[in-house]
Amino acid sequence: MSNVNEISKRRTFAIISHPDAGKTTLTEKLLLFGGAIHVAGAVKSNKIKKTATSDWMEIEKQRGISVATSVMGFNYGDYKINILDTPGHQDFAEDTYRTLTAVDSVIIVVDVAKGVESQTRKLMEVCRMRNTPVIIFVNKLDREGRDPFDILDELENELKISVRPLSWPINIGAKFKGVYNIYEHSLNLFQPDKQHVTDRVEIADINDPTIDDAVGEADAAQLRNDIELIDGVYPDFEVEDYLEGQVAPVFFGSALNTFGVKELLDCFVRIAPSPRPVEAEERKVEPVEEKFSGFVFKIHANMDPTHRSCIAFVKVCSGVFRRNEVYKHVRSGKTYRFSAPTAFMAQKKEIIDEVYPGDIVGLPDNGIFKIGDTITEGEDLHFKGLPSFSPEMFKYIENTDPMKTKQLNKGIEQLMDEGVAQLFVNQFNNRKIIGTVGQLQFEVIQYRLLHEYGAQCRWEPIHLYKACWIESEDTEVLEAFKKRKHQFMAVDREGRDVFLADSGYVLQMAQQDFPKIKFHFTSEF
Ligand code: G4P
């Protein structure tokens, strides 16, 4: 078990937020502390702003950037940190959900003026499903915003998790003077500066008169009141509660001004979990096991249209992944040897010989992999992934070039393997329906089919409310339902029955009329 050391120093996490809360800025500042980059502004945001939705080329360009910043590994003190980037645009939410299967913890960024926003709420639901430990960073304290106590209440109510502030701001906006670090009993005085770390004042405790000298008597008195209130209201912080996903420690700061970021990082490396055991259908897999195992959580297409190769991102769950070793691709039962696996260090990719649990390895993929695939040294393991969610937008896909039917079908299959969207075949008319979580995916699919597969398609509207997977122990009832709804029945790629409800009312009535049928809104049940 020689890799115990390597495992215990790894911290693999994702930063999630609603667009514009400051995820990119915070990521960049963390990389600055890790010495992975040297000037602010080096990390390009991979977010696709709302205005860009109609500009596909812009999205393409940004996706190109995001390959390089998909995983950012760097060393910080004794720790090896891996930040897994997640797309900001909500149309790519499924990508984000899947990335969350590969992290051991999460940092949530919230804008102090806006509080908890829709996307944060959804992402937190996924964290809750997986009991992922969460730290919250309340950002933009240099701007006018909401009362910090109100923000804490909102975090608890909206994210449905207990919170425990570990730092506390002294005023906000124009009067912002700094934060008191409850975790370390120190005071950080605010000086707006985009490049450097700000002054830290060591103090004995909250009653230390140094605080009065630093921020003035009135603000010092207010701070003492606030801290007394916090200590009275919130139980002491227990790392165990955080690790179990029960309590989220909260930090305040300003990512743009590199303020409060180092405190966050220092606490993070100390309390955040090293790689955790991963559940497979067969058994629980411990990172310290001798034999290698890992799973594919993301597939990224090559930006060069003449090269249809992709990169499969594999999270190493146990053992050590070694270059040129023979591994089993469990789904196909075939074995493969990978001669050019890549590691992700900050913004570069490099060939690597050994990869440890917690790290991500990039494998060149010529259509071998599908999201969720497992690779092992031989054991048949199937890691439990995150289910696909019931899509919310649907279109019939039609071939517009009959000479290219084969290419079109191959393209559709591979894009579905990558997890771009979901394919259903309507049993009534045998037409293919693509279901997505956002409008952008239809553009992505059409563009990529043309540029990577030479196939042309057109979309035809179909009015549907939701697709849900159905099952029942009573086969007669199931058959009766399928007969009654035959126009609205489809199968997914695994051949499972899917009911295409065209309105919320129809779905509700179906659930009422057929109580013996289970309607599932995620693909794993
Ligand atoms: P995102 O990845 O979560 O979408 O957010 P991003 O970091 O891109 O930040 C969104 C905007 O908020 C950026 O401004 C960024 O500079 C600003 N910002 C981030 N942290 C802070 C902070 O602590 N204080 C203040 N005042 N602003 C902050 P932008 O004008 O949209 O972009 P840019 O032109 O500055 O890049």
Side-chain angles (χ1 to χ4, degrees), residues 337-349:
R337 191 190 291 272
F338 300 95
S339 59
T342 47
F344 302 89
M345 280 307 277
Q347 291 169 288
K348 12 180 235 292
K349 282 197 313 193

Side-chain angles (χ1 to χ4, degrees), residues 187 189 208-217 220 224:
L187 189 68
L189 298 178
D208 195 323
T210 320
I211 302 179
D212 302 67
D213 299 340
V215 302
E217 273 174 29
R224 288 185 186 110

Side-chain angles (χ1 to χ4, degrees), residues 17-19 87-90 93 96 117-124:
S17 73
H18 194 85
H89 197 289
Q90 62 173 8
T96 303
E117 296 171 88
S118 57
Q119 224 157 303
T120 320
R121 215 173 290 129
K122 273 198 212 151
L123 292 168
M124 183 62 206

Side-chain angles (χ1 to χ4, degrees), residues 389-429:
F389 288 84
S390 167
E392 283 163 16
M393 292 186 181
F394 304 87
K395 283 182 183 174
Y396 281 124
I397 184 163
E398 290 298 326
N399 188 2
T400 50
D401 183 354
M403 304 295 287
K404 298 278 173 64
T405 307
K406 239 170 113 182
Q407 284 87 333
L408 182 77
N409 288 339
K410 184 163 186 220
I412 295 176
E413 286 297 317
Q414 289 196 351
L415 293 182
M416 299 307 124
D417 281 351
E418 272 183 42
V420 176
Q422 295 180 60
L423 174 70
F424 305 102
V425 179
N426 188 328
Q427 295 306 88
F428 176 66
N429 54 21

Side-chain angles (χ1 to χ4, degrees), residues 17-25 47 49 139-140 142-143 254-256:
S17 73
H18 194 85
D20 276 343
K23 176 167 75 78
T24 312
T25 314
K47 66 187 165 175
K49 298 227 173 180
N139 190 28
K140 306 196 186 182
D142 59 316
R143 288 222 192 129
S254 165
L256 188 65

Side-chain angles (χ1 to χ4, degrees), residues 177-425:
K177 289 194 178 156
V179 293
Y180 173 67
N181 193 331
I182 302 174
Y183 190 62
E184 289 181 345
H185 297 295
S186 62
L187 189 68
N188 284 68
L189 298 178
F190 179 64
Q191 297 155 358
D193 184 331
K194 291 178 190 169
Q195 297 283 346
H196 297 106
V197 192
T198 26
D199 286 345
R200 182 185 157 108
V201 182
E202 292 302 332
I203 46 177
D205 58 31
I206 187 72
N207 296 316
D208 195 323
T210 320
I211 302 179
D212 302 67
D213 299 340
V215 302
E217 273 174 29
D219 285 335
Q222 179 66 44
L223 175 68
R224 288 185 186 110
N225 276 343
D226 287 353
I227 298 295
E228 198 182 327
L229 194 58
I230 290 167
D231 287 342
V233 172
Y234 297 96
D236 283 350
F237 175 64
E238 300 287 347
V239 177
E240 277 311 307
D241 297 340
Y242 154 72
L243 291 173
E244 282 167 16
Q246 304 295 329
V247 171
V250 181
F251 287 84
F252 292 84
S254 165
L256 188 65
N257 294 291
T258 325
F259 192 80
V261 178
K262 188 162 187 305
E263 291 66 33
L264 170 75
L265 180 59
D266 286 339
C267 176
F268 170 79
V269 290
R270 267 163 58 189
I271 67 170
S274 53
R276 307 202 294 170
V278 188
E279 289 283 348
E281 274 167 31
E282 294 77 6
R283 63 185 184 86
K284 194 187 254 186
V285 177
E286 299 285 339
V288 292
E289 289 178 22
E290 297 269 316
K291 293 200 169 156
F292 160 74
S293 68
F295 68 88
V296 178
F297 67 94
K298 173 180 179 133
I299 295 177
H300 217 300
N302 198 318
M303 288 303 109
D304 177 355
T306 56
H307 265 264
R308 205 195 288 145
S309 73
C310 305
I311 298 183
F313 289 72
V314 175
K315 158 98 184 241
V316 178
C317 300
S318 66
V320 182
F321 174 95
R322 294 195 170 86
R323 186 157 82 96
N324 278 328
E325 202 98 323
V326 176
Y327 291 122
K328 180 174 180 181
H329 177 244
V330 174
R331 183 169 51 87
S332 65
K334 292 186 185 158
T335 51
Y336 293 94
R337 191 190 291 272
F338 300 95
S339 59
T342 47
F344 302 89
M345 280 307 277
Q347 291 169 288
K348 12 180 235 292
K349 282 197 313 193
E350 52 195 30
I351 304 273
I352 184 153
D353 290 319
E354 292 191 333
V355 190
Y356 293 95
D359 284 345
I360 310 301
V361 58
L363 301 179
D365 172 21
N366 298 308
I368 311 170
F369 293 116
K370 204 168 145 173
I371 296 274
D373 280 357
T374 304
I375 344 176
T376 67
E377 285 191 24
E379 188 179 352
D380 282 335
L381 288 174
H382 298 83
F383 286 109
K384 288 185 190 167
L386 201 83
S388 303
F389 288 84
S390 167
E392 283 163 16
M393 292 186 181
F394 304 87
K395 283 182 183 174
Y396 281 124
I397 184 163
E398 290 298 326
N399 188 2
T400 50
D401 183 354
M403 304 295 287
K404 298 278 173 64
T405 307
K406 239 170 113 182
Q407 284 87 333
L408 182 77
N409 288 339
K410 184 163 186 220
I412 295 176
E413 286 297 317
Q414 289 196 351
L415 293 182
M416 299 307 124
D417 281 351
E418 272 183 42
V420 176
Q422 295 180 60
L423 174 70
F424 305 102
V425 179

Side-chain angles (χ1 to χ4, degrees), residues 14-50:
I15 304 180
I16 56 179
S17 73
H18 194 85
D20 276 343
K23 176 167 75 78
T24 312
T25 314
L26 180 64
T27 306
E28 181 175 275
K29 297 306 161 95
L30 295 176
L31 292 179
L32 271 172
F33 281 117
I37 55 168
H38 299 288
V39 281
V43 178
K44 296 282 175 294
S45 157
N46 81 341
K47 66 187 165 175
I48 296 163
K49 298 227 173 180
K50 283 199 187 76

